[in-house]
């Protein structure tokens, strides 16, 4: 399809004249356009660059001033998409302009007018304000009460002439720092309600004299029901009152509250006697209203103020949620295996910046991941934990039991039952998942080599100041960390969809590990700040080479290749640690290696908004065998299957872990060491220091 479109653009560009412009161009202009496309060799590649899973990576961290100018006659990109950029660039100093007479190529339709506007000092409206977002919502078709934005009192008669006689108005502040992505000053600025139209000018003067810089003058709606909702695609927390919501917002009136969720009852909180909203408002109607708003704002998790007048819903305000403890399922599993409880500032910095983008790689097989818009990790008491909702939301849609996820990563999860109809419906997604994850594997080694070269260039750049060099290394690590976790998702998906192994018996990087030989393999090695004493950097090793038959089976999606993918995963981890070793040597004395203040205090699985932690409720044998010895000494007992325990694993007669996944790195290592081992929940703590027998997952006191 790309090639056909590209061919037509090069040789028959007039076919696309309605897309190019609402005006009619000359034949010479169309020919010139075609010649331009003939030279544009990047056209088909461009569609790979702008794939949804990576096109917007880390754009949310941009703080550069940006002016977004959009034409209402653009037939390629509809102007309603402007609202998405408010969410995509939440930290940029973003202003927006809408040009009524511009199409997709204004510099061709009106060259002089285009140049004059671009070079002028005229700028559009500020996006990240109450007023800016209401304008974007209105542009996207959301029902917003009539409003105008006032930045100065100016001529009172002019303001009054723009108001509707007999109407009443709400006057609300609209400050840049009030509804910001990282902080909100909700309720700290004055709001005036039910102001008669003739009193609006004097009230505006009063507000400006009190320090307001921008005010929204919005026609007042007298609602039957109104409220506030914190919404994400998977769940919504809704509070409402009868009448206007001012009493609810001010805290003077206690509202009704419910939490609805698509994943199931364990994520929900419903009143004991909820019989629907009053005055004919249906829950499905309200939910569809919120989803329309989220869709417009690029599926951002938002705080919405809304009202129902008995006939239709209205949007009073939409803003990003700066801080909120959703009822998410969080887990320390996996993190406990590879990271210390208190990580470095560098590790936490990379985790937080990469988290919103990591899971989007799963969009290669399920586009619903973009609507979920769930981060890979979230904060609890200022420490990062894995957000299981990212994965469990897909399991719920696919009809798969949550225990499948728990066995993969270790830990526990809320119950999601197997649903046959959903699983049948998701079967094409499962097929696509297997092929898409396998296709992604071929790019891992070249991309790893690219990051290797980039690190070399930064380290070899002697002209940069120490501060600039350190900044470059930190930024490199953030992008590299994003690549690592995404690649691991692809590899682990290939492992899961391979169903079984044994066709090709392969050794992993652990096969050649000998205690003390490889200084880049340590406990908690996934934090670059973990001390690495050896001053000699290590080069990358070649990627595993598979037999011809194995490659053919891999391309065709044949099951049974689990051993190949585990070999690739452990090679990838070993080589990542080689780059971590070099980064550690480069940043050895940096403040980025200081400990982050927050500590991961909760072990296992728990709810983000608090509550009892969920205990891992299953055990399994990693490698069968029998051993006798003192528990805690001869029989090693660890919290998690951390692969950096290698020396202790070698010395122990057997290994017992409290938590861990069947295919985790630590489990792979223990199998290759052929060390009797298991994940067990039933070991008595007062047996520590006493002699026990471990036999195929059973522990008895001697």
């Amino acid at each position: 399809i790309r090639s056909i479109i590209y061919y037509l653009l090069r040789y028959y560009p007039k076919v696309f004249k309605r897309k190019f412009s609402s005006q009619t161009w000359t034949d010479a202009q169309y020919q010139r356009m075609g010649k331009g496309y003939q030279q544009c060799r990047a056209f088909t590649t461009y569609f790979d660059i702008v794939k949804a899973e990576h096109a917007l990576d880390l754009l949310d961290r941009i703080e550069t001033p940006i002016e977004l100018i959009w034409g209402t006659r653009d037939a390629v990109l509809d102007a309603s998409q402007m609202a998405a950029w408010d969410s995509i660039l939440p930290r940029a100093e973003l202003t927006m302009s809408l040009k009524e007479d511009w199409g997709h190529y204004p510099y061709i339709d009106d060259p002089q007018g285009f140049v004059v506007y671009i070079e002028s000092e005229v700028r559009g409206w500020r996006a990240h304000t109450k007023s800016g977002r209401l304008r974007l919502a209105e542009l996207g078709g959301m029902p917003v009460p009539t409003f105008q934005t006032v930045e100065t009192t100016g001529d009172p008669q002019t303001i009054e002439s723009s108001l509707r006689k007999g109407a009443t108005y709400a006057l609300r502040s609209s400050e840049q720092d009030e509804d910001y992505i990282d902080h909100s000053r909700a309720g700290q600025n004055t709001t005036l309600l039910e102001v008669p139209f003739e009193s609006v000018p004097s009230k505006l003067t009063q507000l400006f004299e009190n320090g307001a810089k921008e005010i929204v003058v919005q026609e007042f709606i007298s609602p039957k029901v109104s409220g506030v909702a914190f919404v994400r695609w998977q769940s919504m927390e809704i509070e409402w009152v009868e009448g206007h919501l001012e009493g609810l917002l001010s805290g003077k009136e206690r509202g009704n509250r419910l939490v609805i969720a698509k994943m199931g009852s364990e994520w929900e909180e419903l009143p004991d006697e909820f019989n629907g909203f009053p005055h004919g408002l249906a829950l499905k109607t309200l939910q569809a209203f919120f989803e329309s708003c989220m869709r417009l704002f690029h599926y951002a998790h938002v705080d919405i103020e809304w009202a129902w007048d008995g006939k239709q819903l209205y949007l009073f305000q939409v803003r990003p949620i700066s801080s909120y403890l959703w009822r998410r399922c969080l887990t320390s599993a996996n993190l406990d295996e590879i990271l210390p409880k208190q990580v470095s500032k560098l590790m936490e910095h990379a985790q937080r910046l990469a988290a919103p983008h990591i899971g989007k790689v799963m969009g290669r097989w399920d586009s619903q991941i973009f609507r979920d818009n769930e981060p890979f990790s979230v904060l609890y008491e200022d420490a990062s934990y894995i957000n299981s909702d990212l994965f469990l939301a897909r399991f719920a849609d696919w009809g798969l039991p949550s225990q499948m996820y728990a066995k993969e990563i270790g830990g526990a999860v809320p119950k999601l039952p197997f649903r046959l109809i959903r699983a049948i419906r998701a079967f094409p997604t499962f097929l696509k998942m297997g092929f898409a994850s396998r296709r992604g594997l071929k790019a891992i080694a070249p991309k790893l080599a690219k990051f290797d070269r980039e690190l070399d260039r930064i380290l070899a750049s002697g002209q940069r100041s120490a501060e600039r060099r350190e900044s470059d290394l930190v930024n490199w690590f953030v992008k590299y960390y994003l690549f690592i976790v995404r690649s691991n998702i692809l590899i682990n998906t290939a492992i899961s969809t391979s169903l079984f192994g044994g066709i090709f018996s392969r050794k992993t990087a652990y096969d050649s590990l000998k205690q003390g030989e490889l200084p880049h393999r340590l406990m908690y090695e996934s934090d670059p700040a973990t001390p690495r004493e050896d001053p000699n950097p290590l080069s990358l090793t070649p990627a595993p080479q598979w037999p011809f038959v194995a490659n053919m089976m891999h391309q065709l999606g044949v099951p049974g290749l689990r051993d190949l993918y585990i070999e690739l995963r452990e090679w990838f981890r070993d080589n990542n640690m080689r780059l971590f070793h070099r980064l550690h040597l480069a940043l050895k004395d940096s403040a980025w290696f200081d400990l982050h203040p927050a500590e991961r205090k909760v072990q296992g699985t728990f709810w983000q908004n608090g509550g009892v932690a969920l205990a891992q409720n299953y055990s399994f044998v990693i490698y069968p065998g029998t051993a006798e010895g003192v528990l805690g000494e001869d029989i090693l007992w660890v919290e998690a299957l951390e692969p950096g325990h290698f020396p202790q694993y070698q010395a122990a007669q057997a290994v017992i872990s409290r938590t861990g996944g069947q295919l985790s790195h630590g489990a792979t290592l223990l199998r290759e060491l052929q060390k009797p081992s298991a994940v067990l929940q039933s070991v008595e703590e007062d047996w520590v220091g006493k002699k026990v027998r471990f036999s195929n997952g059973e522990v008895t006191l001697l």
Side-chain angles (χ1 to χ4, degrees), residues 34 67 77 108 110 153 170 191 195 234 269 273 295 306 319 333 373 376 413 441 490 498 504 532 581 589 641 644 648:
E67 171 84 4
L77 301 170
I108 297 177
D110 182 16
T153 52
T191 295
V195 179
Q234 285 299 328
E269 296 177 28
E273 298 180 0
R295 187 180 292 111
W306 56 276
R319 63 183 172 200
N373 200 19
F376 178 77
V413 288
L441 302 186
L490 290 174
S498 64
F504 297 94
R532 289 149 166 94
H581 186 90
D589 300 319
L641 292 171
Q648 293 94 322

Side-chain angles (χ1 to χ4, degrees), residues 664-689:
S664 66
H665 297 283
T668 300
L669 172 55
L670 287 166
R671 279 191 288 267
E672 293 206 350
L673 288 173
Q674 299 183 357
K675 188 70 61 175
S677 50
V679 170
L680 299 179
Q681 307 304 308
S682 57
V683 179
E684 301 291 338
E685 290 196 23
D686 59 3
W687 289 3
V688 175

Side-chain angles (χ1 to χ4, degrees), residues 61 347-356 377 379 382-384 596 598:
R61 310 310 302 191
M347 189 70 239
E348 187 64 26
H349 174 73
Q351 184 73 48
R352 294 187 185 192
L353 266 60
S377 61
L379 300 181
D382 206 36
S384 290
H596 185 268

Side-chain angles (χ1 to χ4, degrees), residues 487-501:
S487 298
N488 279 326
I489 289 175
L490 290 174
I491 296 172
N492 288 333
T493 303
I495 291 173
S496 298
T497 55
S498 64
L499 302 182
F500 60 92

Side-chain angles (χ1 to χ4, degrees), residues 337-338 508-526 530-534 538 541 569-581 642-648 665-666 669:
E337 295 178 14
I338 58 177
T508 75
Y510 293 125
D511 183 52
S512 61
L513 280 177
K514 294 182 181 178
Q515 189 172 345
E517 277 191 4
L518 300 178
H520 64 300
R521 304 309 304 268
L522 309 156
M523 277 190 65
Y524 303 125
E525 58 195 3
S526 291
T530 299
R532 289 149 166 94
E533 300 300 333
D534 195 298
L538 296 166
T541 60
R569 184 187 67 175
E570 304 309 329
W571 165 85
F572 183 56
R573 179 172 179 80
D574 187 68
N575 279 268
N576 286 328
M577 293 308 107
R578 290 168 181 264
L579 288 187
F580 276 36
H581 186 90
E642 211 284 317
H645 280 298
F646 177 73
Q648 293 94 322
H665 297 283
L669 172 55

Side-chain angles (χ1 to χ4, degrees), residues 263-267 327-334 386-396 400-418 603-607 612-618 659-661 681:
M263 284 185 284
S265 59
E266 293 208 51
W267 282 265
R327 187 167 173 80
R328 282 191 180 111
C329 176
L330 305 190
T331 180
S332 67
N334 228 222
I386 290 177
N387 172 25
S388 292
D389 278 13
L390 169 68
F391 305 95
L392 294 177
R394 300 296 87 241
F395 274 57
L400 299 182
S402 52
Q403 278 301 99
M404 291 179 65
Y405 170 71
K407 290 180 179 179
E408 187 78 18
I409 69 159
V413 288
K415 185 177 181 180
L416 288 176
F418 174 69
Q603 287 186 304
T605 303
F606 60 101
W607 296 104
V612 180
L614 307 174
Q616 178 166 314
N617 55 6
Y618 70 95
T659 184
Q681 307 304 308

